[in-house]
Every structure is written in C-alpha cells, then in structure tokens.
Amino acid sequence: MLQIYNTLTRSKIPFEPLQAGKIGMYVCGVTVYDYCHIGHARVMVSFDVITRYLRWSGWEVNYVRNITDVDDKIMRRAAENGETVEHLTQRMIAAMHEDEQALSVLRPDHEPRVTAYMDNIIAFITDLIDRGFAYRADNGDVYYRVEKFDGYGKLSGQQIEELRSGARVEVDALKESPLDFVLWKAAKAGEISWPSAWGDGRPGWHIECSAMSRCCIGTTLDIHGGGPDLPFPHHENEIAQSEAANDCTYANYWMHAGAVRVNQEKMSKSLNNFFTIRDVLKAYNPEVVRYFLTSAHYRSYIDYSESSLTEARSALERFYQALQGVEFAVEPQGVNPAYQQRFCEAMDDDFNTPKALAVLFELVNELNSAKRDNSPLLPHLAGELKRLAGVLGLLQQSPDQFLKGEDKAGEISATEIETLIDARKQARDNKDYAGADRIRQQLLDQGVVLKDSREGTSWYRDTTS
C-alpha cells in the first residue's frame, strides 16, 4: 500500500484518495519574475517523479501547478527592465518550459495563471468577507482575520500566542491584528490592477492558490505539495482561507520537497551561490542534473556541488555502459519479478527514490553478467532496466548519445576520437605503453575520458571540466 509522509500529521500514513483510483494534486509553482533556479528544479523534478510513478501504478492523476504572473517582484523587475509585466512574464514562462523540457519534466495537466482567474479570486475573497473572516481596510486593502480561524498553525506547528508575541511593535494601523494577512492589495498610481467591490487592486499571494485549486480540482485536495519554504506562512494561510470559505478539509496530504544547499550552505544571491537551471545545464548534461535531484529522497535536503554532479554522472555512466551495444526488449520477459516488486515497494514507501535506484543498480549488475555470458536474457534485462528507470524519467537517451554527446564546433570529433582509440590499441598491442598513455592524455586534455573493460574501450565527453 502506498504510504505518504504527511507534513500535517508529521508521520507517514497510508494513502486513501477521495475517489477510488483518482488523485487531485495541487503543487505551488513559480513566481515568474526571473529564470528558474536549481531549487525550483528540485520541486519540479520531485513532483514529476511522483506523478509519473502514480500514473504508472494505475492512478488517474489530475496534476495542477500554478503560475504566479502578477506580484510585487514581477512589477519591480518589469519596471527595472523597461518592459511590461505581461512581456516579462511571457518570457519567463517560456524559459521555464524550456528548462522543464530539458530536465524531462512533464507538463502538469493544468497550469493556471493568476491573471486568468481574477474573477474566481475576487469571488473567493467575497465569500470570506460574507462569512466574517475578512474585512476591508480604510485604504481599500482586504485582510484575513487570522484569530477568527480555529486551528491556525496546525500545519507548521506555529502557536497563535507565540505569533502574537513575536509580532512587530509597530502595528499596521490598517489591520485589526498584526497577525492578519492581505487578501487584496489596493492599487497605487500606475500599477497594474483589476476592478473589485473594494476598489482597484490585485490579489495577495496566498489567496491565489486557494481560489485556483478550488476551480481546478475542488474544495478538498488529495495532495497539496510545494517547496521547503512554504509550510509557513503560505500553506498555513491557504488552509485558513480555504477551510473558512469551504467548510471542509482543504487537503488530506501535505508534501514538501527538501531544500537545496550549495556546498553545505543555503543557496542565496547574497552568498553568491545562486544557480539558475539554464546556467547549470551549460555545464552538465540535463539527465545528470535530473539523476542528481532524484538520487536523494524528495523530503531530504540535497547538496549541490561539483562532486555531487560528478557522482551523478558516474552513476548514469554505469547504467548507459551496461546498455551500450545491447538491444532491449520492448516487453521484457523472464526477468526476475523481484526487481519490479522491490522497486514498487521502495516507491510505495513515500516515493523512496534512493532505494528504487539501488534496485536498478542490482539489475545493472545482472545485466553486465548477462553480457559477459552472452545470455539470451540480455535484451529482456536491458528492457526491464529501461522500463523501470523510465518511471523516474531516466535513461531517456541512447547510450551513445549520453556517453559521447554530439560533435560541437571547437571540439574533437567522434571520428577523430575513434581513430586515436584505434591508434592507442595498436600501441598497446605493440607494448608501446608510453605511446598509449600519451594518446589517453591527449584525449583527456580535450575533455574525452576513456574507459577500458573486457569488452574494449568506451569513451565519453567530460562536460564538467
């Protein structure tokens, strides 16, 4: 049975859907004012793997991930760039989709944008005002009455008393309580805005997801997911809004991906260790980055470093080298069913990808043995490896495509590499080991790494050098 760690209960519990065989999952997406960074990639890949596995297991998944396309950061960045908010957001959304495609992240079923759901957001705020959970301030802002909602803080473990004592001394005179948060921001002169009963303005950040999830899935979600920084205040405020407006549980399971650290430090622009996805992909094969992000459990933090990416590259090399020169069966037969069984057991245990990958490495060992023995089971083992790895979005390239890459201007060509490998083999046959070493070093200086095995010499381009 599938078990999921629920942030709300702080425990791993059996998954029970609202409707048999169906899952409604909402994941908080990106505020599109800049290029996506490696932290965004962690969330994207984590929930992509989760969705792929659920569908492979037979679930019908309605996967919704929103886009915040109006926000203070967006407005400031557009003004700095001298472009319209719409032009900036369209550019950043297109770039996000390019990054996702490179990382083999499948598009969600629905990708609602805030600007397309303004009527729904305004209607949601109206519901909260009518129920006494929200009020209009003198300047046209609309705030949520936090202390009216029983159970505020249940997701994050925050206590109302502690929040109140920790609130700023300088209380905003517009608010009834310093804990209240904004649902609608009154527009200032020249700002992008929409008309409402409280005056022209735009929504606060938290209300967007409450409104869009209700429209795209319903009043109760099976799963609500997001990044490590969202339990408080964002998801806490979503619960308060949604349960006050809908009179029912907002989400039955809360899932949060772990943080990305850079060389054991928190990633931030102030520390100058902030990496966009596209910058990372200039140095590393996209599948190496995806493997790196998948190699740790989605809830644990992951350390981004050169050594981590090198380890990911080496791991993928083992997979692709095992598959190199082998035809694989599209419908594998005769393979020990324990591989799939243990793979599923790992994934059913809160999507434990490290354990699932360990099963794949065992399959690689048997595949290599079958290659040495020229076993008739060889294409079936290769097919099973491709099939199970595909559930994680891995092994999507041909072995040669991954290991050798494409010829690029200024690089030594594949034909030249093969010629030098033949010359090195001849030198070794003639016991000219110094000459063979010189050829190896000549190739290494040009970013080509040789791997000698019983089957011969394979090579790959070292994209990290």
Side-chain angles (χ1 to χ4, degrees):
M1 176 181 286
L2 176 62
Q3 302 241 351
I4 294 178
Y5 182 88
N6 190 348
T7 307
L8 182 66
T9 63
R10 293 162 182 75
S11 63
K12 194 159 43 181
I13 57 178
F15 177 71
E16 297 180 4
L18 290 167
Q19 297 182 56
K22 296 183 178 182
I23 298 175
M25 182 169 71
Y26 185 94
V27 175
C28 289
V30 178
T31 300
V32 286
Y33 72 98
D34 205 344
Y35 294 111
C36 294
H37 55 67
I38 196 68
H40 293 135
R42 179 79 194 281
V43 177
M44 292 172 179
V45 171
S46 293
F47 285 98
D48 180 67
V49 168
I50 289 167
T51 303
R52 284 173 181 264
Y53 178 69
L54 291 172
R55 288 176 174 156
W56 183 76
S57 301
W59 295 94
E60 181 182 329
V61 183
N62 179 17
Y63 177 25
V64 180
R65 193 188 64 210
N66 75 294
I67 294 175
T68 298
D69 61 348
V70 60
D71 173 88
D72 290 346
K73 292 179 180 178
I74 294 173
M75 293 165 60
R76 283 196 296 269
R77 182 60 56 83
E80 291 169 3
N81 293 350
E83 62 183 324
T84 65
V85 166
E86 182 179 10
H87 187 265
L88 171 63
T89 57
Q90 293 286 19
R91 282 199 305 112
M92 292 299 103
I93 291 170
M96 178 184 72
H97 288 156
E98 290 173 1
D99 293 340
E100 288 179 320
Q101 185 175 2
L103 292 172
S104 297
V105 172
L106 303 176
R107 295 278 284 273
D109 297 291
H110 302 284
E111 218 170 27
R113 304 183 188 185
V114 173
T115 54
Y117 282 78
M118 205 58 64
D119 290 344
N120 305 97
I121 292 170
I122 291 171
F124 203 110
I125 296 172
T126 301
D127 288 347
L128 291 172
I129 292 175
D130 291 345
R131 290 168 175 261
F133 283 93
Y135 59 93
R136 181 188 183 280
D138 291 340
N139 70 338
D141 287 350
V142 178
Y143 292 96
Y144 183 92
R145 288 189 174 98
V146 167
E147 294 180 64
K148 184 177 174 63
F149 179 73
D150 292 334
Y152 187 83
K154 60 185 177 182
L155 178 68
S156 60
Q158 302 281 348
Q159 301 293 322
I160 285 285
E161 294 76 12
E162 295 175 359
L163 291 171
R164 190 186 297 113
S165 63
R168 293 181 305 165
V169 176
E170 302 84 3
V171 177
D172 190 335
L174 295 170
K175 297 182 182 181
E176 295 177 353
S177 165
L179 302 184
D180 296 347
F181 59 87
V182 67
L183 302 173
W184 186 259
K185 295 183 177 183
K188 297 176 183 177
E191 289 185 341
I192 184 173
S193 63
W194 288 260
S196 77
W198 324 288
D200 291 353
R202 64 186 184 282
W205 179 35
H206 312 299
I207 194 64
E208 302 167 2
C209 291
S210 286
M212 290 189 290
S213 64
R214 183 168 75 174
C215 291
C216 295
I217 297 178
T219 54
T220 300
L221 315 175
D222 287 299
I223 298 171
H224 195 318
D229 56 336
L230 296 184
F232 187 85
H234 185 53
H235 286 164
E236 200 70 72
N237 291 348
E238 280 188 58
I239 291 174
Q241 295 164 163
S242 296
E243 297 190 358
N246 300 326
D247 289 327
C248 60
T249 299
Y250 179 39
N252 287 333
Y253 298 82
W254 288 87
M255 302 177 67
H256 293 93
V260 175
R261 298 180 187 174
V262 178
N263 293 317
Q264 300 295 328
E265 290 186 307
K266 181 179 179 180
M267 185 177 67
S268 70
K269 290 183 177 179
S270 61
L271 294 174
N272 197 30
N273 64 356
F274 182 88
F275 298 97
T276 65
I277 296 172
R278 52 194 46 221
D279 283 343
V280 172
L281 296 184
K282 291 175 182 177
Y284 298 96
N285 184 301
E287 193 165 354
V288 170
V289 178
R290 184 179 177 99
Y291 182 94
F292 158 70
L293 295 170
T294 306
S295 62
H297 191 279
Y298 78 90
R299 282 193 289 113
S300 66
Y301 87 86
I302 191 167
D303 189 52
Y304 177 88
S305 65
E306 185 174 338
S307 62
S308 297
L309 272 295
T310 300
E311 289 174 8
R313 168 82 205 197
S314 296
L316 275 175
E317 280 173 27
R318 285 186 59 190
F319 285 117
Y320 278 113
Q321 286 169 354
L323 291 170
Q324 196 168 31
V326 178
E327 293 186 6
F328 63 91
V330 177
E331 297 183 4
Q333 297 177 356
V335 178
N336 188 336
Y339 289 118
Q340 177 174 319
Q341 180 183 343
R342 290 189 294 114
F343 179 88
C344 292
E345 286 173 355
M347 294 299 288
D348 283 340
D349 183 17
D350 194 33
F351 309 100
N352 194 323
T353 51
K355 285 187 176 180
L357 287 169
V359 174
L360 298 188
F361 275 113
E362 292 180 27
L363 188 51
V364 164
N365 290 337
E366 184 171 350
L367 175 57
N368 284 330
S369 295
K371 287 177 75 173
R372 288 191 293 270
D373 300 337
N374 198 24
S375 167
L377 197 58
L378 182 58
H380 298 282
L381 289 167
E384 185 72 345
L385 178 59
K386 289 272 289 183
R387 187 175 73 92
L388 293 180
V391 178
L392 306 180
L394 298 173
L395 303 188
Q396 303 295 293
Q397 305 174 58
S398 71
D400 281 350
Q401 182 184 8
F402 177 83
L403 294 169
K404 300 179 180 179
E406 298 179 357
D407 291 347
K408 296 179 181 179
E411 288 185 345
I412 186 172
S413 70
T415 301
E416 292 171 313
I417 294 169
E418 295 290 354
T419 299
L420 286 171
I421 289 175
D422 289 342
R424 176 174 175 266
K425 180 179 183 302
Q426 186 64 50
R428 295 174 75 182
D429 290 344
N430 295 335
K431 302 188 185 307
D432 180 11
Y433 300 116
D437 287 344
R438 282 195 297 273
I439 294 173
R440 174 188 281 274
Q441 187 61 49
Q442 178 185 348
L443 288 168
L444 188 60
D445 290 342
Q446 298 184 73
V448 178
V449 179
L450 303 185
K451 290 278 189 178
D452 294 318
S453 67
R454 292 180 182 179
E455 290 75 30
T457 300
S458 61
W459 60 272
Y460 70 86
R461 299 182 191 275
D462 184 2
T463 59
T464 66
S465 60

